Amino acid sequence: MCADTSDTIANIDKEGKNDEQKQEGIKNDKKKSTYIENAKSENIESTEHFVDNSNGENMDNNTFCLKTVAEKSGSEVDIDSIHKSEVKNVFVKDIKTYCDFSKINTNASIEIDTSTAPKERKFALVETNIEQIKQRLSNLRFRRSEKQKIKTRFYATIDPIKNQQAEVELSREISKDMFSRMSIIGQFNLGFIITKLDADLFIVDQHATDEKYNFETLQNTTKITSQKLVVPQQLELTAVNEIVLMENINVFQMNGFDFQFQQDAEPTKKVKLTMIPMSNNWSFGKEDVDELLFMLQDAPNTLCRPSRVRSMFASRACRKSVMIGKVLNFGDMRKLIDHMGDIEQPWNCPHGRPTMRHLVNLTLLNVNAE
């Protein structure tokens, strides 16, 4: 009986020691970490794997691969698999890998798929740094702000369909006194004058601008020679037109017409045409009187010219103006530009040809170039 009791106590002590060893093994197996070191790769983070094996079984039979290390390093990693009998939980924390660099294939090559790339592709290596990029962005922001401060005044391009827009812009931005302030850059292609006002460049047609100046001079100063009719011509005018004619007789006389008034005659028959304008290649008559009366109803006491008189003046102005192909000195160019300040409508010649157009703003050109 005593022997059986002592055997039982020994067995209990032995089982107790086994239980303690078993519990100690479980504690040790609950936390195992694998450190892989790569001293030459600064971009590789480190991973700690915590394995929980509450059963305390041998962990050398199960296999798991550290693919994370290969993905982080960007190279092929040849590492012996780690055997565990059972992995219940794997936690990835901060990657502080400590591995043998000799096992990493540093000669791995990268293949580029060029099947969809053009046959001839040019590559350029650009050396830069963060400071240079910051400076470049700062310069771009500054130039953009400077460009926004510059007021764009002329938008129309040199195009026949933009003539009306160009004339409106020039009329709005250029006053008569500005022509004398324009500096002469020179003559271009023996037909044009390049001028500069502040930061704006303009191109002036030397023939068209001289023609317009001569035309308006003829319009304002010429009294057309008249020819007296042998037999005065009776004019049948409305009572209103008779009054308009009498109040603007000086305008008709400047155009070469003259009349005889019969105050005692009945209305519509008080006026007779006695003199008409005379020119070698032009003929005038009653229809020109009617045209002048129509214009004077809208603009009384204004020196108006009938269309045929205007055409005659335009022809004369064209013949006496500077022609395309003539070389101009600085004084000739200065005179033509100054004359534009004396013209009422300096933006086109009598035949509709533009006299001046805006070329470019030099400030905007410099900002865009930078």
Side-chain angles (χ1 to χ4, degrees):
M1 189 71 181
C2 292
D4 292 338
T5 302
S6 61
D7 291 339
T8 302
I9 293 172
N11 289 335
I12 292 172
D13 293 335
K14 186 177 181 179
E15 289 177 0
K17 290 180 180 179
N18 289 338
D19 289 339
E20 290 177 358
Q21 292 176 355
K22 187 175 180 180
Q23 293 298 327
E24 185 69 19
I26 292 173
K27 291 180 180 179
N28 293 333
D29 291 337
K30 277 186 178 180
K31 186 174 183 181
K32 278 185 175 286
S33 60
T34 301
Y35 298 91
I36 300 174
E37 179 177 359
N38 186 350
K40 295 184 180 181
S41 177
E42 295 180 358
N43 293 328
I44 299 179
E45 302 174 356
S46 77
T47 307
E48 291 184 353
H49 300 274
F50 293 87
V51 182
D52 182 7
N53 187 352
S54 60
N55 294 329
E57 297 178 0
N58 188 3
M59 303 182 68
D60 293 333
N61 296 326
N62 193 26
T63 301
F64 71 97
C65 300
L66 301 180
K67 296 182 180 180
T68 306
V69 176
E71 293 173 354
K72 292 291 182 178
S73 65
S75 303
E76 294 183 1
V77 181
D78 185 11
I79 303 174
D80 295 335
S81 300
I82 300 175
H83 301 278
K84 306 291 178 183
S85 61
E86 183 178 355
V87 177
K88 287 188 176 180
N89 297 304
V90 177
F91 301 96
V92 178
K93 286 189 175 181
D94 296 332
I95 297 182
K96 295 181 182 178
T97 53
Y98 303 90
C99 72
D100 187 359
F101 189 74
S102 63
K103 295 182 179 181
I104 299 178
N105 184 4
T106 59
N107 296 322
S109 62
I110 299 175
E111 295 183 358
I112 300 175
D113 182 10
T114 60
S115 59
T116 59
K119 294 181 179 179
E120 296 182 0
R121 172 177 286 181
K122 296 181 179 180
F123 297 90
L125 181 63
V126 179
E127 295 183 0
T128 186
N129 54 48
I130 296 298
E131 292 301 323
Q132 289 179 351
I133 294 173
K134 288 181 179 179
Q135 185 62 37
R136 178 63 176 168
L137 292 175
S138 176
N139 292 341
L140 289 175
R141 285 192 293 266
F142 174 77
R143 291 168 187 167
R144 189 180 297 111
S145 63
E146 289 297 313
K147 186 175 180 180
Q148 291 173 352
K149 293 178 183 179
I150 302 171
K151 180 182 178 183
T152 302
R153 300 185 299 167
F154 303 96
Y155 295 91
T157 56
I158 301 178
D159 190 330
I161 64 175
K162 300 291 184 67
N163 280 345
Q164 185 174 1
Q165 179 187 351
E167 291 177 17
V168 170
E169 292 175 354
L170 290 169
S171 300
R172 181 186 66 235
E173 300 295 337
I174 305 297
S175 58
K176 289 185 176 183
D177 62 296
M178 291 182 178
F179 289 103
S180 59
R181 291 164 40 202
M182 290 183 179
S183 57
I184 306 298
I185 304 300
Q187 187 181 25
F188 169 69
N189 205 26
L190 296 181
F192 303 92
I193 303 170
I194 307 299
T195 66
K196 180 176 177 291
L197 179 64
D198 298 329
D200 292 298
L201 288 184
F202 299 90
I203 184 169
V204 178
D205 187 320
Q206 64 187 40
H207 174 76
T209 187
D210 194 31
E211 181 181 338
K212 186 59 178 285
Y213 174 78
N214 292 330
F215 173 77
E216 289 200 4
T217 301
L218 291 172
Q219 284 266 90
N220 297 328
T221 61
T222 301
K223 182 177 180 179
I224 303 175
T225 305
S226 302
Q227 180 179 5
K228 188 174 182 178
L229 297 177
V230 177
V231 178
Q233 182 180 356
Q234 181 69 52
L235 300 179
E236 294 185 1
L237 306 175
T238 63
V240 173
N241 282 342
E242 287 180 345
I243 295 174
V244 171
L245 190 151
M246 293 177 185
E247 291 178 349
N248 296 274
I249 186 62
N250 59 324
V251 176
F252 288 92
Q253 291 174 345
M254 286 289 293
N255 283 287
F257 294 98
D258 207 353
F259 305 91
Q260 179 182 351
F261 298 100
Q262 297 175 327
Q263 300 295 338
D264 298 335
E266 60 185 53
T268 72
K269 295 184 178 180
K270 291 185 177 182
V271 181
K272 288 185 177 182
L273 181 61
T274 59
M275 300 181 72
I276 58 174
M278 181 183 66
S279 179
N280 293 332
N281 301 319
W282 300 87
S283 59
F284 303 90
K286 181 180 179 299
E287 59 273 14
D288 300 297
V289 175
D290 293 335
E291 184 180 356
L292 276 175
L293 287 171
F294 178 79
M295 289 188 288
L296 288 168
Q297 287 178 359
D298 295 330
N301 299 315
T302 302
L303 182 55
C304 303
R305 301 288 188 177
S307 57
R308 277 187 284 195
V309 172
R310 287 175 56 86
S311 298
M312 181 180 68
F313 286 162
S315 179
R316 291 181 183 177
C318 182
R319 289 195 300 268
K320 67 181 296 187
S321 299
V322 174
M323 294 299 173
I324 297 294
K326 182 179 180 180
V327 178
L328 302 179
N329 58 35
F330 182 85
D332 295 332
M333 292 186 283
R334 180 77 267 171
K335 182 175 68 174
L336 292 177
I337 300 302
D338 290 344
H339 280 171
M340 295 189 73
D342 300 328
I343 304 173
E344 289 297 325
Q345 299 293 334
W347 313 123
N348 49 56
C349 77
H351 300 105
R353 181 170 165 175
T355 57
M356 186 175 81
R357 287 293 179 266
H358 179 259
L359 280 179
V360 68
N361 183 283
L362 297 178
T363 305
L364 286 174
L365 187 65
N366 293 334
V367 170
N368 293 333
E370 294 176 357

